Amino acid sequence: MREEIMVGIKQFSISNNKVSYDIKVKRKISLIGGDSGTGKTTLYNLVRDYETSKLSIKLSGYTNVKSLCGSSYDIIRDIQRLKEHILIIDDDKLSGTDINKIDEAIRNSDNWFILITRDENQAFGVEYDSIYEMKSDITGKNHWLEPMITL
Amino acid sequence: MLKIYYGRDAKQVVIPVHFANNYEGSWLLDPLSKRMISEIDNSEVVSENLIISKVLGPIPPERLSGGVQGLILMSFDDIKDKYRWNGSQFGNNTLKFMLEIASLRDYDIRVSTMHYFDFPKDFVQDICIENDNTIVHDYKSFVDYYINHGIHIINTWDKEHPEFFNK
């Protein structure tokens, strides 16, 4: 079971000429699930592209954001190496064994995490208000997170 | 038939990687593919290699959502029933199409999942739960199985299969 300590809200906005995201998270681990085709992987790609070309993407707010990719070994190494980041992991890119191998590194890390996953085991220990789905406005271009569960 | 396995599968197909390396442009021109791309990804197929997204503009097939890619692979790829598809890729808005594909094809559609599939509430179709080969017939029996067995299987799967993570 993960310990979730609320240490404040971290917020970032990222955009290119086609889409924008205003992301606000309030706990160490947040999950994004929900329907297909809502822009979850586009967010992941946008953050990854910012790493490659900071002039091409607009990022504001909490700017220590990084999308992790590669093998589980690569991801664990990055989790251990990086400090004070929001790290985005998309299990779309991982094999069946990987997400669980990464779990221990996540628990032992001081970074914050956004996990793009529908895996219910990853939801253990995550507060209900940190399980999100991606929402967008009527144009489909502007995105934000909304909790999937509201009490 | 659609066959669902609650749990992980070391050989399950990583859908975006498999799609990028195996899709055929002609698959996208199939009427069912066009319908799925339209309803799920809000996009229109222009040609084998071009899709117009209402949000992103012109995109290649590789930028379709993982759920749509998975559905297209289920329909056309050579893998057929040899391996399971990674159920984590499929949002609830893909499931009616998953049922449709399973009813149309002459091979089983096999999916492993660690999350609940919220099928349309009016569905009436046989689904095999591969964990114990139980056949459910409709939404009620599917939910009954999930509540009575599926939740427990998912919750305990990692602990009961430590060998899975020692590869």
Side-chain angles (χ1 to χ4, degrees), chain B residues 93-167:
Chain B
N93 58 340
T94 67
L95 298 179
K96 68 173 187 178
F97 292 109
M98 193 184 290
L99 288 170
E100 185 173 345
I101 292 164
S103 71
L104 293 172
R105 296 295 179 258
D106 60 4
Y107 49 85
D108 293 326
I109 304 292
R110 302 174 67 209
V111 183
S112 56
T113 182
M114 288 289 282
H115 77 279
Y116 171 66
F117 279 173
D118 194 13
F119 285 105
K121 291 172 176 50
D122 58 354
F123 96 82
V124 178
Q125 189 168 327
D126 286 349
I127 296 175
C128 175
I129 310 298
E130 280 200 289
N131 298 76
D132 58 10
N133 291 319
T134 295
I135 306 289
V136 297
H137 306 286
D138 55 20
Y139 180 80
K140 182 181 181 308
S141 56
F142 179 80
V143 172
D144 282 346
Y145 185 95
Y146 179 77
I147 289 172
N148 292 311
H149 304 286
I151 292 177
H152 176 76
I153 295 170
I154 288 175
N155 287 356
T156 59
W157 201 92
D158 289 349
K159 278 199 184 123
E160 295 195 358
H161 297 84
E163 73 288 353
F164 187 82
F165 303 102
N166 293 329
K167 293 184 172 54

Side-chain angles (χ1 to χ4, degrees), chain A residues 11 26 43 53 59 86 94:
Chain A
Q11 178 271 337
K26 49 189 173 183
L43 167 65
S53 179
L59 176 64
I86 298 174
L94 302 175

Side-chain angles (χ1 to χ4, degrees), chain A:
Chain A
M1 177 79 88
R2 298 187 185 101
E3 286 185 14
E4 291 292 345
I5 301 168
M6 189 158 157
V7 294
I9 293 174
K10 288 187 172 35
Q11 178 271 337
F12 67 93
S13 297
I14 189 165
S15 64
N16 62 12
N17 69 336
K18 292 191 173 56
V19 291
S20 73
Y21 290 81
D22 184 23
I23 303 297
K24 206 176 288 185
V25 290
K26 49 189 173 183
R27 298 187 194 277
K28 177 182 166 180
I29 299 172
S30 300
L31 267 55
I32 309 179
D35 279 350
S36 294
T38 55
K40 299 183 290 297
T41 298
T42 300
L43 167 65
Y44 171 91
N45 289 337
L46 209 54
V47 171
R48 188 198 57 199
D49 287 350
Y50 176 78
E51 183 79 11
T52 306
S53 179
K54 289 182 169 54
L55 297 177
S56 308
I57 312 272
K58 292 191 180 116
L59 176 64
S60 63
Y62 195 88
T63 56
N64 276 357
V65 187
K66 188 175 169 65
S67 288
L68 300 186
C69 59
S71 66
S72 57
Y73 172 82
D74 296 326
I75 290 176
I76 290 169
R77 185 196 57 202
D78 281 342
I79 291 172
Q80 293 169 341
R81 175 177 65 87
L82 294 165
K83 307 285 177 216
E84 296 182 359
H85 273 69
I86 298 174
L87 301 177
I88 304 178
I89 300 173
D90 186 352
D91 78 353
D92 177 343
K93 312 285 184 291
L94 302 175
S95 73
T97 59
D98 285 344
I99 198 72
N100 222 300
K101 285 181 187 167
I102 293 163
D103 189 64
E104 185 174 346
I106 292 175
R107 275 190 278 121
N108 294 331
S109 171
D110 291 331
N111 291 298
W112 283 36
F113 294 87
I114 295 176
L115 308 181
I116 300 176
T117 180
R118 298 184 179 94
D119 185 325
E120 289 178 5
N121 272 0
Q122 293 305 310
F124 288 161
V126 177
E127 294 293 330
Y128 73 91
D129 60 359
S130 287
I131 300 174
Y132 299 99
E133 56 186 344
M134 191 69 77
K135 291 293 195 185
S136 59
D137 64 12
I138 196 163
T139 67
K141 295 182 185 299
N142 303 304
H143 299 76
W144 63 92
L145 298 178
E146 277 189 11
M148 288 183 78
I149 304 165
T150 51
L151 300 179

